Amino acid sequence: MTSSSSHLTLKEFCDSNYKGSETYDGLETVLYGIASGAKNLESQIRNGNLLGMLGATGDMNIQGEIVQQLDAISSDTFVQEFKDSKQVAMVGCEEIEHPVTFGDSDQHKFIVLMDPLDGSSNIDVAVSIGSIFGIWKREPSTPLNADLLLRPGAEQIGAVYVVYGSCTVLVIATEGTVNEFTMNPKDGEFYLTSANLKYPDKTPYYSVNDGNTAKWIDGIVEAVDQLREGRSQRYIGSLVADFHRNIIKGGVFLYTADTKNTVGRLRLMYEANPLGYVSVQAGGAVSNGIENILDIKPVELHQRVPLIIGNKMLVEQIIETVKKT
Ligand code: AHG
Ligand code: MN
Ligand code: MN
């Protein structure tokens, strides 16, 4: 067993990869903010049942979904971290109807879109949940308005996610590379545990909500039948945790449009785009069935999208099958 002292800390990693670089300078401060928020939330999630912090707030969010106490706590935690970083100009968040604006100085050079707590239905049942962040650059002097958030996923300069699972991992993707850090609960530090993650060639898993079968078009029924051949189904119901398993072990996740979710269920700006960016940097793909999701020109902060994400060959196989059926 190796001790955490033999692994690079997040700070050591950022110092050698981002500090002083033209594109990424300042990103380290945003990443430390995410790490600090994640560490804080990790402890609240672990103790939520004892602290009476599980269950709903009684409010509905802009999506018409019930807001859990931890949804609200996560949203407030990361909003505060980004404000304090003094590097983030604006944040768009699943739990907040309109963008939150922090400052328009030249130092405020990043824009973040986030799902602060992904997998809300798993909060109360001790199952993995997570947080998702897409990061875009703001050109100096660009005025702050809601349109500034509506940029294609391909323009992200980085994306990050956290999984609060059997251990807590923080995964950071920037151009061409994906790196996984694991939190040591003893000191709250994140240590580099997998450098330059890529999807394995083998694909033992597929992730889909089988309960939607009767609502799928024939092409998706056929595509999922093909996936079943020689693969195991794994569906956690927390996109970020399903995604993480598939990137490490090999597989694909799909939540396509159906007769109930006619435009898809998952959100473009803070679920599909950030995880799509990670997927592509790890050698995988992301599609809405017609085009690369990262090429979509967004029209609305909270818009939904059909999502097929994971191993490139499987994403292409699903698209081909739908086309032929
Ligand atoms: P959120 O908790 O941020 O609202 O996201 C929940 C999403 C996603 O994490 C998951 O894959 C999906 O909802 C599950 O939906 P179903 O319950 O319809 O399968
Ligand atoms: Mn989510
Ligand atoms: Mn959420």
Side-chain angles (χ1 to χ4, degrees):
M1 201 177 122
T2 52
S3 74
S4 44
S5 61
S6 63
H7 297 265
L8 278 187
T9 63
L10 177 62
K11 180 159 186 329
E12 287 165 340
F13 177 88
C14 289
D15 280 351
S16 56
N17 285 279
Y18 304 133
K19 242 185 169 169
S21 106
E22 198 184 317
T23 310
Y24 298 121
D25 195 39
L27 182 67
E28 69 276 6
T29 311
V30 179
L31 297 175
Y32 300 154
I34 294 175
S36 156
K39 177 185 161 190
N40 176 352
L41 279 176
E42 196 267 349
S43 133
Q44 304 204 52
I45 290 163
R46 302 269 171 252
N47 295 302
N49 221 352
L50 299 171
L51 300 173
M53 279 172 9
L54 303 191
T57 59
D59 296 329
M60 300 278 250
N61 70 10
I62 175 71
Q63 334 271 332
E65 295 162 347
I66 293 165
V67 178
Q68 303 292 322
Q69 290 186 61
L70 273 172
D71 284 324
I73 291 167
S74 312
S75 177
D76 292 348
T77 299
F78 288 116
V79 165
Q80 192 61 46
E81 292 287 354
F82 292 132
K83 182 171 185 224
D84 292 348
S85 78
K86 297 191 169 55
Q87 300 279 338
V88 176
M90 286 175 95
V91 165
C93 171
E94 179 192 2
E95 303 302 336
I96 307 173
E97 182 171 3
H98 299 293
V100 182
T101 300
F102 299 129
D104 63 358
S105 77
D106 284 358
Q107 204 193 331
H108 291 93
K109 47 186 178 284
F110 297 100
I111 290 180
V112 179
L113 276 287
M114 68 168 168
D115 177 354
L117 203 294
D118 178 63
S120 303
S121 71
N122 286 323
I123 293 173
D124 293 353
V125 292
V127 173
S128 297
I129 52 182
S131 306
I132 307 172
F133 309 87
I135 305 170
W136 283 255
K137 210 61 190 283
R138 166 184 171 253
E139 291 308 317
S141 312
T142 318
L144 302 187
N145 57 46
D147 287 347
L148 199 53
L149 265 65
L150 300 180
R151 287 159 62 194
E155 292 180 14
Q156 287 168 107
I157 57 112
V160 179
Y161 66 82
V162 182
V163 180
Y164 314 96
S166 51
C167 58
T168 293
V169 293
L170 171 77
V171 176
I172 301 171
T174 46
E175 182 68 35
T177 181
V178 179
N179 295 283
E180 181 209 64
F181 299 80
T182 302
M183 198 186 99
N184 179 343
K186 289 205 179 102
D187 61 9
E189 277 278 352
F190 284 91
Y191 294 90
L192 182 64
T193 40
S194 285
N196 205 16
L197 272 177
K198 299 287 174 204
Y199 283 95
D201 292 336
K202 61 186 172 46
T203 57
Y205 299 121
Y206 71 100
S207 309
V208 72
N209 181 344
D210 253 345
N212 291 329
T213 310
K215 297 178 233 141
W216 293 335
I217 58 167
D218 291 347
I220 295 295
V221 175
E222 174 70 27
V224 173
D225 273 346
Q226 282 175 5
L227 292 174
R228 279 192 191 104
E229 301 280 326
R231 290 189 190 81
S232 298
Q233 200 248 27
R234 292 280 188 279
Y235 189 74
I236 296 168
S238 299
L239 165 67
V240 68
D242 279 312
F243 176 81
H244 187 62
R245 186 201 44 254
N246 289 338
I247 208 171
I248 304 273
K249 300 280 191 188
V252 69
F253 173 102
L254 63 160
Y255 208 125
T256 52
D258 58 44
T259 51
K260 180 173 163 229
N261 304 290
T262 52
V263 289
R265 157 121 167 70
L266 298 167
R267 278 55 61 104
L268 172 65
M269 296 308 293
Y270 39 77
E271 291 179 321
N273 269 339
L275 295 184
Y277 180 88
V278 179
S279 187
V280 170
Q281 311 315 315
V286 63
S287 174
N288 63 357
I290 296 165
E291 63 180 322
N292 180 342
I293 278 183
L294 300 179
D295 293 333
I296 295 176
K297 172 81 186 94
V299 290
E300 207 264 303
L301 172 57
H302 299 285
Q303 84 188 70
R304 294 175 192 265
V305 70
L307 176 64
I308 308 168
I309 187 166
N311 175 281
K312 197 171 181 189
M313 194 200 72
L314 287 188
V315 171
E316 284 166 4
Q317 177 183 303
I318 295 164
I319 296 168
E320 274 312 300
T321 303
V322 172
K323 267 191 202 143
K324 277 195 250 153
T325 312

